[in-house]
Amino acid sequence: MLAVESPSSAHDAGLAGELPAQPKSVRDTGLSQQLIVELIAKAIFVNGKSHLPVLTTRLHLSINVLREVLEFMLAEHVVEVAWRGESDIDVQYQLTAAGRLRASAWMDRCPYVGPAPVTLEAYRAVVERQAAQVPQLCADELAAEFADDFLSPAVQRMLGAAMYAGRTVLLHGPSGSGKSVLARRLGSLQQGVIAVPHALVVGQEIVQVYDALLHRAPTPQHLRALRPSPERRSSDPRWVLCQRPVVALDADLSADMLELQPDSHSGSYRSPPQLKANNGLLIVDDLGRQRMSAADLLNRFSQARELERSQLALAGGYHFSVPCHMQLVFATSLAPEALLDASALRRIGYKIPVGPLDGASYRTLFRQQCVTMGVVFDEAALRHLIDVLHAGSGLPLLACYPREIIGRIGDFAGFLGEPARLSVAALEQAWISMFATCEPAAAAGDAIDQLQRRIA
């Protein structure tokens, strides 16, 4: 996954309406005072003497909330003032001897030190509100996004209808036809932004939700489109304003990865992908190659989506439900009817074929890739590729081939210290390096002789 820019703190008036209001008291947080006491004590235990503004940054709680709890901790001799400046917030706190003993015991029980969580009830309310406010996709937006993707009008219309309705999609077609790339591009069609909590509290346990690799910061375009708040107010820093997430799962997926994962190092649970994908897009790539059956996988996700909730369990056996509002996209190179029975296929809203490109689109894509990768183009060589190599081998004009072929031409040219140039010989060399063109019984020496004859 890719690293991303830091999320917006979203404290100005334009963003405040998208995030819950900042709690002004412990009661407003929905958390128990004891939980906040433990978070403060553990933060000071780990970091030493702590300035009040630093604690607000580390715990994502307002100064008013922290002051309320710190007054209690002072009275209970858990903390003491280490230094006080001229302003009301210019205060440093440290643990007392008794406070260190308590903080050590709290660390042994739960070593989580990080942003204060939100309650499960608050999370459910925000997710439900955001799910009811999803902007609808229009035809012009889809056409603009896929203007250079060489999709047929029929495929574009099916994709647009599926995204508009929020229905489950199955992209099927030969390997290399561009299904995986297309599935991820659908994520860019999602409109609006959402609020994601750093963490949830479930009973006495912490479940981390926000993932900087998946929950991307809003773009300037997103921020311009936000509704202005009717009145200026601060937002709850326990929440992060993000683009709608795109979570992609591949053939490594197993059933246990869809459960909460205890993390002994952080003292919390890592969220499963379906929780991180709430109010976004969940992609299951290479359907049929996971370490669980395609039918079981489809059934689990489809049922959660239909019920609009997902069941999770803590290590001690406590079960709870979380909202489940996401769009599902499956991609497979296998025939749908061989992968799923008729009943399972009926649960998929749109079955969309993604096949080879037509000749004109393939030529255009090849020319574009030559420009992008700095390879000198030659029209006669491109005709040879299509009329001789593709036609002679029976290989379809798949979207994956131009970049791979041109990349290999660049590899050979770079190795020889020559400028990368499209030619019949360069194409032959790249083609043979990509595909097994000799009979299985041919010796290695025969293959080398064949290569030398074809590029001589």
Side-chain angles (χ1 to χ4, degrees), residues 87-146:
S87 71
D88 290 343
I89 65 171
D90 198 8
V91 186
Q92 280 189 341
Y93 294 90
Q94 64 186 14
L95 295 172
T96 63
R100 283 193 295 274
L101 290 175
R102 292 190 188 184
S104 178
W106 291 330
M107 287 289 293
D108 289 341
R109 182 175 58 81
C110 176
Y112 176 79
V113 179
V118 304
T119 64
L120 191 55
E121 292 73 19
Y123 178 66
R124 287 172 177 152
V126 171
V127 171
E128 297 293 343
R129 175 172 59 83
Q130 292 173 156
Q133 297 174 345
V134 178
Q136 295 292 346
L137 176 70
C138 71
D140 290 343
E141 291 166 338
L142 184 137
E145 179 64 31
F146 291 104

Side-chain angles (χ1 to χ4, degrees), residues 308-391:
E308 297 185 344
R309 65 179 183 271
S310 178
Q311 295 295 322
L312 298 174
L314 301 173
Y318 176 75
H319 288 73
F320 63 98
S321 66
V322 292
C324 184
H325 292 279
M326 60 188 180
Q327 183 154 14
L328 289 170
V329 176
F330 298 98
T332 184
S333 300
L334 305 174
E337 63 275 10
L339 187 62
L340 300 164
D341 61 24
S343 176
L345 285 173
R346 280 197 299 271
R347 302 187 77 174
I348 298 175
Y350 283 78
K351 280 74 72 173
I352 302 178
V354 182
L357 300 177
D358 58 49
S361 295
Y362 190 84
R363 288 181 173 88
T364 301
L365 178 59
F366 201 93
R367 293 187 190 98
Q368 289 178 354
Q369 291 292 342
C370 281
V371 173
T372 300
M373 303 177 73
V375 174
V376 179
F377 177 73
D378 181 79
E379 187 66 43
L382 178 57
R383 286 197 300 271
H384 178 81
L385 171 64
I386 295 174
D387 298 341
V388 177
L389 298 181
H390 274 290

Side-chain angles (χ1 to χ4, degrees), residues 2-20:
L2 300 176
V4 297
E5 59 185 305
S6 299
S8 169
S9 59
H11 283 295
D12 63 72
L15 308 188
E18 307 298 322
L19 293 166

Side-chain angles (χ1 to χ4, degrees), residues 368-430:
Q368 289 178 354
Q369 291 292 342
C370 281
V371 173
T372 300
M373 303 177 73
V375 174
V376 179
F377 177 73
D378 181 79
E379 187 66 43
L382 178 57
R383 286 197 300 271
H384 178 81
L385 171 64
I386 295 174
D387 298 341
V388 177
L389 298 181
H390 274 290
S393 65
L395 288 172
L397 304 178
L398 297 177
C400 68
Y401 288 151
R403 182 175 180 82
E404 182 65 28
I405 291 170
I406 296 167
R408 288 167 186 258
I409 290 174
D411 293 342
F412 284 113
F415 171 69
L416 297 173
E418 300 172 350
R421 184 179 301 277
L422 192 64
S423 67
V424 170
L427 282 171
E428 293 274 4
Q429 187 169 239

Side-chain angles (χ1 to χ4, degrees), residues 1-179:
M1 297 182 181
L2 300 176
V4 297
E5 59 185 305
S6 299
S8 169
S9 59
H11 283 295
D12 63 72
L15 308 188
E18 307 298 322
L19 293 166
Q22 184 181 72
K24 296 181 179 179
S25 66
V26 171
R27 183 177 180 178
D28 291 345
T29 68
L31 303 176
S32 69
Q33 179 173 267
Q34 181 59 32
L35 174 58
I36 302 175
V37 165
E38 293 182 14
L39 288 173
I40 294 173
K42 289 188 290 185
I44 299 175
F45 184 83
V46 170
N47 299 291
K49 293 178 185 179
S50 298
H51 208 207
L52 180 56
V54 172
L55 284 174
T56 68
T57 300
R58 287 182 175 144
L59 300 182
H60 292 251
L61 290 171
S62 70
I63 285 180
N64 287 340
V65 171
L66 289 180
R67 276 178 173 160
E68 181 180 341
V69 179
L70 283 164
E71 286 297 321
F72 170 81
M73 295 174 73
L74 285 166
E76 293 295 313
H77 304 291
V78 177
V79 298
E80 59 189 6
V81 174
W83 177 85
R84 188 183 298 275
E86 295 182 359
S87 71
D88 290 343
I89 65 171
D90 198 8
V91 186
Q92 280 189 341
Y93 294 90
Q94 64 186 14
L95 295 172
T96 63
R100 283 193 295 274
L101 290 175
R102 292 190 188 184
S104 178
W106 291 330
M107 287 289 293
D108 289 341
R109 182 175 58 81
C110 176
Y112 176 79
V113 179
V118 304
T119 64
L120 191 55
E121 292 73 19
Y123 178 66
R124 287 172 177 152
V126 171
V127 171
E128 297 293 343
R129 175 172 59 83
Q130 292 173 156
Q133 297 174 345
V134 178
Q136 295 292 346
L137 176 70
C138 71
D140 290 343
E141 291 166 338
L142 184 137
E145 179 64 31
F146 291 104
D148 299 324
D149 280 63
F150 310 108
L151 293 177
S152 70
V155 169
Q156 283 199 35
R157 284 193 294 271
M158 282 191 284
L159 286 172
M163 294 295 290
Y164 174 84
R167 303 283 298 277
T168 299
V169 173
L170 174 64
L171 302 174
H172 61 94
S175 179
S177 57
K179 301 180 300 299

Side-chain angles (χ1 to χ4, degrees), residues 172-447:
H172 61 94
S175 179
S177 57
K179 301 180 300 299
S180 299
V181 174
L182 177 57
R184 286 162 174 78
R185 289 290 300 276
L186 292 175
S188 61
L189 292 172
Q190 298 182 113
Q191 306 292 307
V193 295
I194 61 170
V196 177
H198 283 279
L200 303 176
V201 59
V202 182
Q204 298 297 313
E205 304 294 341
I206 304 294
V207 178
Q208 295 195 58
V209 179
Y210 172 73
D211 184 335
L213 297 175
L214 297 174
H215 298 117
R216 308 289 297 272
T219 65
Q221 182 179 0
H222 285 127
L223 298 181
R224 286 195 297 270
L226 289 176
R227 300 184 305 276
S229 177
E231 60 181 22
R232 190 176 184 84
R233 63 178 173 85
S234 296
S235 55
D236 189 339
R238 294 177 295 168
W239 297 79
V240 185
L241 197 70
C242 306
Q243 299 177 41
R244 294 183 181 272
V246 178
V247 180
L249 308 175
D250 55 25
D252 292 331
L253 177 65
S254 58
D256 65 293
M257 294 169 63
L258 302 180
E259 307 294 342
L260 291 170
Q261 302 294 317
D263 185 343
S264 58
H265 176 71
S266 68
S268 63
Y269 286 84
R270 296 190 300 273
S271 295
Q274 67 271 27
L275 180 54
K276 294 180 180 180
N278 252 332
N279 281 315
L281 186 70
L282 180 67
I283 300 168
V284 180
D285 208 354
D286 283 330
L287 182 64
R289 305 189 189 281
Q290 285 74 27
R291 287 175 283 176
M292 59 188 299
S293 74
D296 288 345
L297 184 57
L298 174 65
N299 182 66
R300 174 155 185 171
F301 283 149
S302 296
Q303 185 178 48
R305 192 173 180 279
E306 290 163 8
L307 296 174
E308 297 185 344
R309 65 179 183 271
S310 178
Q311 295 295 322
L312 298 174
L314 301 173
Y318 176 75
H319 288 73
F320 63 98
S321 66
V322 292
C324 184
H325 292 279
M326 60 188 180
Q327 183 154 14
L328 289 170
V329 176
F330 298 98
T332 184
S333 300
L334 305 174
E337 63 275 10
L339 187 62
L340 300 164
D341 61 24
S343 176
L345 285 173
R346 280 197 299 271
R347 302 187 77 174
I348 298 175
Y350 283 78
K351 280 74 72 173
I352 302 178
V354 182
L357 300 177
D358 58 49
S361 295
Y362 190 84
R363 288 181 173 88
T364 301
L365 178 59
F366 201 93
R367 293 187 190 98
Q368 289 178 354
Q369 291 292 342
C370 281
V371 173
T372 300
M373 303 177 73
V375 174
V376 179
F377 177 73
D378 181 79
E379 187 66 43
L382 178 57
R383 286 197 300 271
H384 178 81
L385 171 64
I386 295 174
D387 298 341
V388 177
L389 298 181
H390 274 290
S393 65
L395 288 172
L397 304 178
L398 297 177
C400 68
Y401 288 151
R403 182 175 180 82
E404 182 65 28
I405 291 170
I406 296 167
R408 288 167 186 258
I409 290 174
D411 293 342
F412 284 113
F415 171 69
L416 297 173
E418 300 172 350
R421 184 179 301 277
L422 192 64
S423 67
V424 170
L427 282 171
E428 293 274 4
Q429 187 169 239
W431 185 271
I432 293 172
S433 73
M434 285 176 61
F435 303 108
T437 57
C438 304
E439 293 297 324
D446 294 337

